[in-house]
């Protein structure tokens, strides 16, 4: 039985946030009669200049845009334990660590110092496991060890040997955990790589960290700017949270070229702007015979991306309903992060004021809805040169066109999950969510001031 773990998160955009966790033990009263011991892991916040990080995304997903928030988990690995820092990524399967000192790279795991490190031979069944993370098939190296290459959308890659090792999560040993001991290549940003040791894959694949730990579920709650949040591993219920709305995960047994079978896939059935439902054919939300058009809930992606025809309909309706309320940025060449082409100019006289009332955008899933409103609809890009010398601030619509980043899918990003309690129930194969104030959730769990 794996203990439930709570992780305190803190976000501050317009900076890249690196979050490092330390262990404190608490007893939390859940909805059960007896208190349940949970592990609260407060996180240390480090800020980096905006735009300096590009999260590695498997090339099969074809996402190459940058993210301004990364979550890193600090734990120990090996015998004796070595400290490592891993990027938490629900969109990836294979966890990996840098195992060789590279130029400008100081954060590494040294397998030669660990008595519990075991490289995986080519004859191992794990070496024959097919995953979306390996567009290049695994192979045997000259030592007959299982060699893997993970490629990313920006044409970078990282490679090394599969191995098993003991990972200590909140002090609890997880022996025999499969991971990649990578000794060559880079992810996307050498400067940021120097601050982290690797990546922790958290999707539904058999090699993911959550699958290997045998966790029944995990949850998180992301606050808005300059606020804290929580990440919880394990099964815990809180009376103050109230009922969650659930939507089933989609399972696809047939291998399809553009369908990620281990992603957190749900059924998107429609979109409303204000009270108006977009007039779209229901078939446009259903994956086609190639798997193109699945809907993935991904905390590793910042914004939400929609297939071209759906994005166009949403864009037109949002512009129509905000006419006279927002001023369009008159610069057809300005596209934020390569996919956000609906941007607005906000006058300097409003910089200290909240945005005007905006129509909510509601994502309609099977059995549940997620409403995006207020500040989550627009993202402050800054005083961009597109403002042509004025002191205006540019805000962009937080929905993008997936075709502009070369992805054949709908992706629900973490920006639209702010102040939503998100639960990934792996046993019952469903995603649950409930609107809440995440800073208050942190306080209720003894982590807020």
């Amino acid at each position: 039985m794996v203990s439930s773990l709570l992780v305190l998160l803190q976000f501050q955009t317009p900076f890249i946030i690196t979050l490092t966790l330390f262990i404190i033990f608490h007893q939390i009263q859940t909805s059960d009669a007896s208190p349940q011991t949970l592990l609260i892991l407060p996180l240390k916040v480090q800020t980096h200049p905006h735009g300096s990080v590009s999260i590695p995304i498997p090339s099969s997903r074809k996402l190459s845009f940058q993210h301004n928030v990364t979550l890193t988990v600090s734990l120990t690995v090996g015998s004796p334990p070595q400290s490592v820092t891993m990027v938490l990524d629900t969109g990836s399967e294979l966890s990996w660590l840098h195992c060789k000192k590279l130029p400008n790279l100081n954060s590494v795991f040294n397998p030669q110092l660990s008595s519990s490190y075991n490289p995986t031979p080519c004859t191992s069944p794990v070496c024959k496991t097919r995953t979306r993370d390996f567009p290049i098939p695994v192979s045997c190296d000259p030592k007959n060890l299982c060699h893997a290459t993970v490629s990313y959308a920006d044409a970078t890659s990282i490679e090394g040997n599969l191995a098993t090792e003991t990972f200590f999560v909140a002090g609890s040993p997880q022996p025999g955990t499969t991971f990649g001991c990578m000794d060559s290549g880079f992810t996307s940003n050498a400067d940021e790589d120097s601050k982290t040791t690797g990546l922790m894959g958290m999707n539904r694949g058999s090699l993911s960290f959550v699958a290997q730990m045998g966790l029944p579920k995990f949850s998180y709650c992301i606050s808005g700017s300059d606020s804290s949040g929580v990440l919880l591993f394990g099964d815990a219920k809180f009376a103050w949270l109230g009922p969650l709305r659930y939507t089933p995960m989609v399972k696809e047994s047939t291998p399809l070229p553009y369908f990620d079978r281990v992603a957190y896939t749900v059924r998107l059935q429609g979109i409303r702007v204000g009270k108006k439902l977009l007039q779209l054919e229901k078939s446009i939300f259903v994956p086609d015979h190639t798997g193109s058009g699945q809907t993935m809930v991904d905390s590793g992606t910042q914004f939400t991306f929609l297939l071209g025809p759906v994005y166009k309909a949403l864009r037109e309706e949002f512009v129509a309903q905000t006419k006279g309320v927002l001023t369009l940025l008159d610069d057809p060449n300005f596209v934020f992060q390569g996919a956000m082409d609906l941007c607005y100019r906000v006058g300097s006289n409003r910089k200290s004021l909240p945005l005007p009332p905006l129509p909510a955008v509601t994502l309609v899933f099977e059995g549940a809805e997620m409403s995006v409103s207020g500040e989550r609809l627009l993202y402050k890009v800054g005083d961009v040169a597109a403002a042509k010398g004025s002191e205006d601030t540019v805000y962009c619509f937080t929905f993008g066109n997936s075709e502009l980043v070369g992805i054949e899918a709908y992706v629900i990003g973490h920006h639209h999950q702010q102040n939503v309690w998100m639960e990934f129930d792996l046993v019952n194969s469903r995603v649950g969510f409930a609107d809440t104030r995440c800073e208050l959730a942190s306080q209720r769990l003894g982590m807020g001031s």
Side-chain angles (χ1 to χ4, degrees):
M1 179 65 179
V2 179
S3 299
S4 296
L5 295 89
L6 283 175
V7 180
L8 173 63
L9 309 181
Q10 212 159 17
F11 298 83
Q12 188 177 358
T13 59
F15 296 97
I16 307 271
I17 305 301
T18 301
L19 307 172
T20 309
L21 51 86
F22 302 89
I23 303 169
I24 299 176
F25 291 88
H26 287 269
Q27 282 214 326
I28 304 296
Q29 180 68 53
T30 69
S31 58
D32 299 325
S34 59
Q36 178 176 351
T37 300
L38 303 177
L39 300 182
I40 308 292
L41 306 179
L43 296 171
K44 180 181 178 182
V45 177
Q46 295 177 330
T47 60
H48 306 280
H50 177 73
S52 66
V53 169
S54 180
I55 296 296
I57 303 292
S59 60
S60 60
R61 294 277 300 281
K62 300 181 181 178
L63 290 174
S64 59
F65 48 86
Q66 292 183 324
H67 305 276
N68 73 324
V69 175
T70 56
L71 311 179
T72 64
V73 183
S74 290
L75 59 158
T76 56
V77 180
S79 305
Q82 300 177 43
S83 296
V84 300
T85 302
M86 305 176 74
V87 174
L88 189 69
D89 184 9
T90 60
S92 294
E93 178 172 352
L94 181 70
S95 299
W96 54 260
L97 296 172
H98 287 294
C99 290
K100 180 180 180 181
K101 191 175 180 62
L102 299 172
N104 302 318
L105 185 63
N106 300 316
S107 183
V108 296
F109 169 73
N110 189 341
Q112 295 179 346
L113 300 180
S114 174
S115 61
S116 52
Y117 175 82
N118 286 301
T120 302
C122 291
T123 55
S124 170
V126 173
C127 193
K128 299 177 175 61
T129 301
R130 299 295 299 272
T131 80
R132 296 286 290 186
D133 277 7
F134 300 146
I136 301 174
V138 294
S139 60
C140 283
D141 70 4
K143 297 181 180 180
N144 288 321
L145 299 178
C146 190
H147 185 84
T149 301
V150 182
S151 300
Y152 299 109
D154 60 359
T156 59
S157 63
I158 192 163
E159 59 184 289
N161 292 116
L162 293 186
T164 60
E165 184 56 282
T166 299
F167 283 67
F168 293 86
V169 180
S172 176
Q174 306 293 325
T177 300
T178 298
F179 75 109
C181 194
M182 302 310 200
D183 57 13
S184 64
F186 293 94
T187 52
S188 300
N189 185 288
D191 179 65
E192 187 60 25
D193 281 347
S194 68
K195 302 177 180 67
T196 60
T197 318
L199 178 143
M200 180 181 289
M202 288 288 289
N203 68 13
R204 292 196 292 170
S206 62
L207 294 182
S208 77
F209 201 79
V210 64
Q212 292 191 68
M213 289 182 68
L215 295 170
K217 66 177 63 173
F218 66 94
S219 309
Y220 56 75
C221 193
I222 305 171
S223 298
S225 301
D226 304 319
S227 297
S228 62
V230 293
L231 170 65
L232 184 151
F233 289 136
D235 188 4
K237 299 177 181 178
F238 305 104
W240 48 263
L241 183 59
L244 273 66
R245 306 180 298 275
Y246 287 98
T247 185
M249 293 185 198
V250 175
K251 293 184 177 181
E252 176 58 60
S253 58
T254 304
L256 300 174
Y258 296 110
F259 193 96
D260 187 345
R261 291 189 292 168
V262 292
Y264 296 107
T265 301
V266 295
R267 292 184 178 90
L268 181 63
Q269 296 183 329
I271 299 177
R272 289 199 308 270
V273 181
K275 296 182 179 180
K276 184 174 180 180
L277 182 68
L278 298 181
Q279 297 302 304
L280 296 165
E281 294 291 335
K282 291 184 178 180
S283 60
I284 202 168
F285 296 108
V286 178
D288 64 18
H289 65 284
T290 69
S292 174
Q294 75 181 112
T295 300
M296 298 177 284
V297 181
D298 186 4
S299 66
T301 299
Q302 186 175 359
F303 300 114
T304 293
F305 294 85
L306 308 172
L307 291 186
V310 177
Y311 171 74
K312 181 180 178 181
L314 172 60
R315 187 189 194 281
E316 291 177 352
E317 185 59 32
F318 191 80
V319 168
Q321 292 195 27
T322 56
K323 186 176 182 180
V325 177
L326 295 172
T327 302
L328 286 167
L329 177 66
D330 187 19
D331 186 348
N333 295 320
F334 182 80
V335 181
F336 178 57
Q337 289 197 358
M340 328 289 279
D341 64 355
L342 177 55
C343 298
Y344 297 93
R345 184 196 304 270
V346 177
S348 57
N349 61 332
R350 288 200 63 95
K351 283 188 176 182
S352 60
L353 300 175
L355 292 169
L358 302 173
V361 175
T362 301
L363 303 174
V364 181
F365 302 105
E366 179 183 353
E369 296 183 355
M370 178 183 291
S371 182
V372 180
S373 60
E375 294 183 353
R376 289 186 295 162
L377 288 166
L378 298 178
Y379 184 79
K380 183 179 178 180
V381 177
D383 303 324
V384 185
K388 298 180 179 179
S390 73
E391 296 183 356
D392 290 351
T393 300
V394 174
Y395 285 78
C396 292
F397 194 42
T398 52
F399 291 83
N401 186 344
S402 64
E403 294 180 1
L404 294 180
V405 290
I407 179 174
E408 299 293 329
Y410 301 93
V411 182
I412 313 301
H414 68 68
H415 186 79
H416 292 159
Q417 300 170 38
Q418 291 179 358
N419 287 317
V420 178
W421 186 277
M422 301 291 300
E423 178 186 278
F424 296 80
D425 185 342
L426 306 178
V427 173
N428 297 301
S429 191
R430 60 184 184 174
V431 176
F433 41 88
D435 294 330
T436 189
R437 291 181 59 185
C438 292
E439 65 273 16
L440 293 182
S442 299
Q443 293 173 15
R444 288 179 181 272
L445 294 170
M447 294 182 289
S449 56

